[in-house]
Structures are given as structure tokens and as C-alpha cells.
Amino acid sequence: MVPSIAARVKYNLRIKNPYTVAYDVLFGCPGWLQGLIQADYFIKSGEARKILVVGAETCQGFQIPTT
């Protein structure tokens, strides 16, 4: 088992706060929107004051032919 991408980002940003939560949203193309929806909830509920949402996507399962 490998660390999630979110855990790697937290580590590379040198975030040491133990209360900082890092997790991946595996939701395909609209994952960044789901991340914003969750961030909005955490701020409005008072559970968070600062949020960092990182959107990234990889294309897997196909190759682009080269000539």
C-alpha cells in the first residue's frame, strides 16, 4: 500500500500540523468540483479555517501512438 497523493502533497509542503487532514477524492473528472463542495462544507460548518484543494488528473488505460 502506498501513501495517497494528498499525503504526499502534505509531506512535500512540509505541513507538520497533526490536525491537518489530507485525503484524495477519487471521483473522476468532476473530482475538483466535489473537492470544492467539501471545502465549502468544512468552512461553513466551522470545522476548518483554511482549505487547499488541488486538482489533478492522469490519463490511464490508453497510449497515444507515436510515429
Side-chain angles (χ1 to χ4, degrees):
M1 186 173 246
V2 297
S4 69
I5 297 298
R8 293 178 194 182
V9 170
K10 179 181 173 181
Y11 175 80
N12 287 328
L13 291 175
R14 296 185 172 95
I15 298 172
K16 304 287 186 191
N17 185 340
Y19 297 106
T20 301
V21 179
Y23 63 95
D24 292 344
V25 177
L26 304 176
F27 201 55
C29 293
W32 67 271
L33 181 58
Q34 184 63 30
L36 289 178
I37 290 169
Q38 291 179 16
D40 182 60
Y41 162 78
F42 283 119
I43 290 175
K44 287 182 177 175
S45 70
E47 293 191 35
R49 292 182 298 147
K50 298 176 185 177
I51 304 273
L52 171 65
V53 176
V54 177
E57 185 174 346
T58 60
C59 296
Q60 296 179 351
F62 70 91
Q63 291 183 332
I64 299 173
T66 59
T67 57

